Amino acid sequence: LKCLKRAGCVSRGCTRSARRMMAPAMVGAIATGLVDVYATAFATVHPIFYIFVPYWTLILAALCLSPLTVLLPQLLQGKLSWPSRKDIANEWTINGKKYDLAPFYDSHPGGVWALRAAKGSDCTGLFESCHLFIDREVLLKMLNRYEIKDGSQKAEEPPMVFYDKFYEDLKAAARDYFKGKGKGAHKM
């Protein structure tokens, strides 16, 4: 502060000059801090691990900075928020149709986690890959109970078609292969 007063920056409020004068001091402080970190690291680490200290520093810097790249812009805009379970709508999109599977949480054989993970999104791929060994007609009949039948919402066109003849043949071949091998034989 004394050097800034001598230069006349503080009394005149000339912030540009103050920044110019403080920038080298800040860079010097950061460099001194890094030197201290390296000195401490080298003093406490066995010499055989010296080659890893810069690598560890990069990893630590990436871990510290990665949350900031998401949170800092939101914080600066004043929109820092974290979605809660209540903020996400109780709807799952499967093959272009919307379903409310919240009442099915407790009785879902795959567990609540699978349903909560896909909540509020198009989970056609997840649905088709996890229900490989279950008859499609049974699945569709069960899903019809949970379909959201709102006249204002029409079914979306799914981005990919997961159900075709090849897929059905592949499922039949997998069922034939695992037939008679006991429950859970298809799980690794």
Side-chain angles (χ1 to χ4, degrees):
L1 193 60
K2 288 180 183 178
C3 67
L4 293 176
K5 283 183 180 178
R6 265 196 308 255
C9 292
V10 173
S11 61
R12 287 183 280 169
C14 128
T15 56
R16 193 176 303 150
S17 297
R19 277 193 220 126
R20 263 191 249 127
M21 292 180 74
M22 291 193 61
M26 290 174 69
V27 170
I30 291 171
T32 304
L34 285 174
V35 169
D36 288 345
V37 166
Y38 273 104
T40 305
F42 282 114
T44 58
V45 173
H46 192 275
I48 224 167
F49 296 112
Y50 283 175
I51 59 169
F52 295 113
V53 171
Y55 178 68
W56 293 334
T57 306
L58 285 175
I59 290 174
L60 186 62
L63 288 174
C64 291
L65 293 177
S66 62
L68 291 177
T69 60
V70 174
L71 297 176
L72 194 59
Q74 289 182 2
L75 185 65
L76 292 175
Q77 293 174 355
K79 299 178 184 175
L80 186 61
S81 65
W82 202 268
S84 67
R85 289 184 197 163
K86 297 172 187 169
D87 294 341
I88 302 171
N90 277 340
E91 64 179 36
W92 291 258
T93 306
I94 301 170
N95 292 319
K97 293 183 180 178
K98 297 199 181 290
Y99 299 94
D100 181 6
L101 299 175
F104 190 54
Y105 275 171
D106 296 330
S107 56
H108 185 251
V112 177
W113 181 86
L115 291 176
R116 285 194 177 147
K119 182 179 177 181
S121 64
D122 184 354
C123 55
T124 306
L126 179 66
F127 176 81
E128 293 291 343
S129 63
C130 290
H131 299 101
L132 184 66
F133 295 100
I134 302 170
D135 186 24
R136 185 168 185 81
E137 298 304 318
V138 173
L139 283 175
L140 294 177
K141 187 177 177 182
M142 185 195 61
L143 277 176
N144 282 336
R145 289 187 276 170
Y146 301 105
E147 187 175 355
I148 299 172
K149 296 183 179 170
D150 187 10
S152 64
Q153 292 181 353
K154 64 178 191 175
E156 299 174 6
E157 184 67 29
M160 287 181 67
V161 177
F162 287 91
Y163 184 74
D164 61 358
K165 281 295 195 185
F166 174 74
Y167 180 69
E168 194 58 37
D169 291 343
L170 189 63
K171 279 174 63 171
R175 282 191 200 123
D176 290 342
Y177 178 81
F178 287 107
K179 187 179 270 184
K181 293 191 177 185
K183 187 173 182 172
H186 64 283
K187 297 180 181 177
M188 294 184 182

